[in-house]
Amino acid sequence: MFTPFQSLPDHTRIWIYQSNRKFNQLEKDIISNELLTFTNQWSAHGTPLSASFDIRFNQFVILAVDEHSTVASGCSIDNSVRTIKELGQKLNVDFFDRTLVSFRSQDKVFAIPVRELKKTYQEGFWNSQSLVINNLISSKGDLNSDWLVPAGLTWLKRYIPSETIAG
């Protein structure tokens, strides 16, 4: 059953899906309508899940389940992945391109293919303090503390000369 995202507790489990491009308003409306329908009927072994979603930066879809009362099962998670894949096909976007690393700067998000990270670092496009979007976090509370992380504190530090990383 759908629960407003803001009212879910911080321990709520989340899955973040990054699009390979920004959504326009029509696409955001389609995503919202589809996910409202999905979260209203999402269940685990017949038991409704307290679920929600959020769209951030016009490029990230966050699905959420408060597992305090009912845990998302493997089948229910598979259903959510299938729903996201269907949305991607409908909108012609890729939510599963793991070769893109997203940064946030001045209220904008930009994605860089992994193969271009070294070159774009050398060109000054990003540095150790650039905020990287960490899509591997797993709880709603982490959105406030661990979703945007300085690049120098992530696996991206391998692309940064060690003398430039501030501790």
Side-chain angles (χ1 to χ4, degrees), residues 121 127-129 150-154 157 160-167:
Y121 174 80
N127 60 48
S128 66
Q129 297 306 307
L153 299 178
T154 72
K157 65 186 171 192
I160 303 168
S162 59
E163 66 271 6
T164 64
I165 298 177

Side-chain angles (χ1 to χ4, degrees), residues 38-142:
F38 174 74
T39 55
N40 265 320
Q41 58 81 36
W42 199 8
S43 65
H45 303 292
T47 303
L49 294 169
S50 179
S52 195
F53 66 92
D54 196 17
I55 300 171
R56 301 258 174 119
F57 307 130
N58 295 322
Q59 197 164 348
F60 299 86
V61 172
I62 303 169
L63 280 179
V65 173
D66 180 359
E67 294 185 307
H68 184 68
S69 58
T70 304
V71 175
S73 65
C75 292
S76 65
I77 294 168
D78 289 348
N79 285 338
S80 69
V81 172
R82 186 173 21 261
T83 298
I84 294 295
K85 284 182 179 178
E86 289 169 0
L87 269 172
Q89 290 172 345
K90 180 181 274 190
L91 301 175
N92 197 28
V93 298
D94 187 350
F95 287 107
F96 296 93
D97 184 350
R98 303 295 183 238
T99 66
L100 296 176
V101 178
S102 289
F103 294 85
R104 183 167 187 229
S105 176
Q106 301 172 1
D107 293 329
K108 293 183 181 178
V109 172
F110 56 94
I112 299 173
V114 171
R115 69 182 178 280
E116 295 178 19
L117 284 170
K118 185 175 184 179
K119 179 181 95 162
T120 54
Y121 174 80
Q122 292 170 343
E123 293 171 347
F125 201 68
W126 65 277
N127 60 48
S128 66
Q129 297 306 307
S130 297
L131 295 177
V132 177
I133 297 176
N134 175 12
N135 293 322
L136 299 177
I137 60 172
S138 60
S139 74
K140 182 182 171 221
D142 291 340

Side-chain angles (χ1 to χ4, degrees), residues 18-35:
Q18 173 180 304
S19 170
N20 62 326
R21 64 170 176 79
K22 293 196 178 307
F23 310 125
N24 62 40
Q25 188 57 52
L26 177 61
E27 291 169 330
K28 283 176 56 177
D29 293 343
I30 290 169
I31 293 167
S32 293
N33 289 333
E34 297 272 338
L35 291 181

